[in-house]
Amino acid sequence: MNLCTKILCLTLILTLASCDAINTANREIAGGKAITEELRSENAKILRGEVIYSDKPYYGEPVSVKLGKQRGKPLPKSVEKANSTAFKFNGDIYAFAKLVQEQTNITVSVETRFTDLNQNIIEMPILTKLKLNRSGALSAALDEVRSRTDTEWHYDGSTIIFTRMVNRSYSLSIPLGQSSFNITASSITTGSETSLTSSRQGALDVWASMSNQLANVVTYPSQFQLDPQSATLSVFGPPSVHQKVETIINKINNLYNKKIGIEVGAYYVDSSKVDDFAASITSGKNTSIKFSGLAAAISGNGVATLPGSGGDSFSFRAISKAESVFDFQQGSATSQNGVWAAIKIQKNTNYVANSITTIDDNNVSTTTLDVDTVDEGLSISVLPRILENDQIQMQLTVVQKTLSALDSFEAGTTKIQLPKIEARQIQSDVVLTPGETLVLAGYEQESYTKAGEGPGSPLAFIFGGTKEAKVENIRLILLVRLALISNKVVR
């Protein structure tokens, strides 16, 4: 073959190869276009809500194995497969235990002899008859037998143990002791020295209440013991009894796990400016909050409630800066359902209660002073109880004492001081929604003096610009707000 022939053959081969590559590329491009059009068409059908039919082969789904709850150590994997066990029989739990041992080589024990909470030995045979026809994982079969015989089972690594009576302890959120209350109110004594007295007393004992509830569900031979010191409950009984007990405990714990926030503000308002004080609550940031009957309650001797407004609840301290407020005291506490919360804001003043002057034989006089203490301020006791729908019933007792004067008295060489105390006792029972504010108003005082020192007097200097201020007529207005404090952690 000469050179020209070789060159011609090589050229022909390259040309054919080039044509084949072009044809392959064209086919791939055409295939890509077809796939693209197919996907576009499917997307359009999806947007129109049409059904898409696939022509791809279906090979089925993985086999789903229903497993029971793990109790104790995990069962071997060999007995937890879809075809590990097969039971078809009529009999009792002992017949079932024998079949399990035959099919899995795992020993099954059935306990019927127990020691109760009083250390007595009792026998509790399991007489329930079973009709079982099932196959699958062993744990699922154990759970079915457990539910139908009112028993518990667990695996200790070598033996499956069925037991009829279970001894279990539960933690409780119940407060220690009981809350007692005794309220007495007396009228002014008449000329015949008789007075009208009304009283109310009672006790809230959640431990006794829970004991009564448990006695209705934990019946013989089941037993329970309550230990208030460790706040625990011990129950000995079959699983069905424990389920009823858990329902009671969940309800009780849910109630007593809730924290109740208590906020009290005492406002001493110039009686001539009580309308301005009412307006200050709904001014500024609180313009969206509507309080019906507020002005009338504050202006007269009334009671009103201010509905909660979510996260925009007005600030007690913010409205204390109003010009109508002469003095302000605030206290807060946190309590549980049915537990007394005490808030005490007190100032002590010493005074000369007695003065005795003696002269000895040398005509030297000696004066002895007896000093006593008078306290003034607020003492607030609140007993909150959570009702249905998280409403809060509040029993409120407020005692307010003011040292209105400290007069001097002289007789010969004796000089003493006579304190003049004005006191108020306010009692109220009311049901509030969390975030709602109770307003108690109409408690008048003829005069009130406030020193300019201390953080509790935001406007003591506005009356005359001195370090002490005095108002001839003052009105005490109490605001009490309750709230449920969430247990959720804010991140």
Side-chain angles (χ1 to χ4, degrees), residues 330-332 341-348 375 377-381:
Q330 183 178 15
S332 60
I343 302 172
K344 196 169 187 179
I345 306 170
Q346 180 176 306
K347 181 180 73 173
N348 297 325
D375 61 297
L378 278 175
S379 176
I380 303 165
S381 299

Side-chain angles (χ1 to χ4, degrees), residues 90-93 126-131 148-149:
N90 291 327
D92 55 18
I93 194 171
I126 304 172
L127 305 177
T128 307
K129 296 297 181 179
L130 298 171
K131 183 178 181 180
R148 292 169 61 180
T149 57

Side-chain angles (χ1 to χ4, degrees), residues 7-52:
I7 293 174
L8 181 61
C9 291
L10 180 61
T11 302
L12 181 59
I13 291 171
L14 291 175
T15 301
L16 293 174
S18 175
C19 291
D20 187 59
I22 292 172
N23 292 334
T24 301
N26 288 336
R27 286 195 301 270
E28 291 179 352
I29 291 173
K33 288 181 179 180
I35 294 173
T36 301
E37 291 299 326
E38 182 180 350
L39 292 176
R40 286 178 179 174
S41 176
E42 287 186 1
N43 289 333
K45 289 182 179 179
I46 293 173
L47 292 175
R48 292 194 299 269
E50 297 182 15
V51 178
I52 298 176

Side-chain angles (χ1 to χ4, degrees), residues 268 374-378 399-403 421-424:
Y268 300 85
V374 60
D375 61 297
E376 57 178 326
L378 278 175
V399 177
Q400 189 265 339
K401 294 171 62 178
T402 302
L403 178 62
I421 303 295
E422 293 192 12
R424 305 174 179 90

Side-chain angles (χ1 to χ4, degrees), residues 238-430:
S240 59
V241 169
H242 283 276
Q243 289 178 359
K244 296 175 183 177
V245 169
E246 288 172 2
T247 300
I248 295 175
I249 291 176
N250 290 338
K251 184 177 180 180
I252 293 289
N253 282 344
N254 181 58
L255 184 63
Y256 284 91
N257 278 334
K258 295 178 179 177
K259 297 183 285 290
I260 304 173
I262 305 166
E263 187 179 11
V264 179
Y267 301 83
Y268 300 85
V269 179
D270 187 343
S271 295
S272 63
K273 299 180 179 180
V274 290
D275 291 338
D276 296 337
F277 176 76
S280 68
I281 296 180
T282 56
S283 64
K285 293 177 63 177
N286 305 312
T287 53
S288 62
I289 306 174
K290 305 299 181 184
F291 302 135
S292 60
L294 174 62
I298 292 179
S299 301
N301 297 328
V303 178
T305 55
L306 313 182
S309 55
D312 298 326
S313 296
F314 63 93
S315 167
F316 280 13
R317 187 162 292 277
I319 61 176
S320 71
K321 299 178 182 178
E323 293 185 1
S324 56
V325 178
F326 175 68
D327 193 12
F328 168 64
Q329 292 174 314
Q330 183 178 15
S332 60
T334 303
S335 182
Q336 275 183 296
N337 176 69
V339 178
W340 281 105
I343 302 172
K344 196 169 187 179
I345 306 170
Q346 180 176 306
K347 181 180 73 173
N348 297 325
T349 302
N350 296 325
Y351 69 95
V352 179
N354 195 13
S355 173
I356 301 174
T357 301
T358 59
I359 301 176
D360 61 13
D361 296 339
N362 297 323
N363 204 28
V364 177
S365 64
T366 303
T367 301
T368 303
L369 300 178
D370 291 335
V371 179
D372 205 344
T373 302
V374 60
D375 61 297
E376 57 178 326
L378 278 175
S379 176
I380 303 165
S381 299
V382 180
L383 179 62
R385 293 181 60 206
I386 301 176
L387 307 178
E388 293 294 333
N389 301 320
D390 281 343
Q391 287 190 308
I392 306 174
Q393 181 189 50
M394 175 183 66
Q395 180 179 303
L396 172 71
T397 302
V398 180
V399 177
Q400 189 265 339
K401 294 171 62 178
T402 302
L403 178 62
S404 58
L406 191 59
D407 300 328
S408 297
F409 175 79
E410 296 185 27
T413 59
T414 301
K415 182 178 181 181
I416 62 174
Q417 292 176 305
L418 302 175
K420 181 181 179 182
I421 303 295
E422 293 192 12
R424 305 174 179 90
Q425 181 169 332
I426 304 167
Q427 295 176 351
S428 179
D429 287 338
V430 66

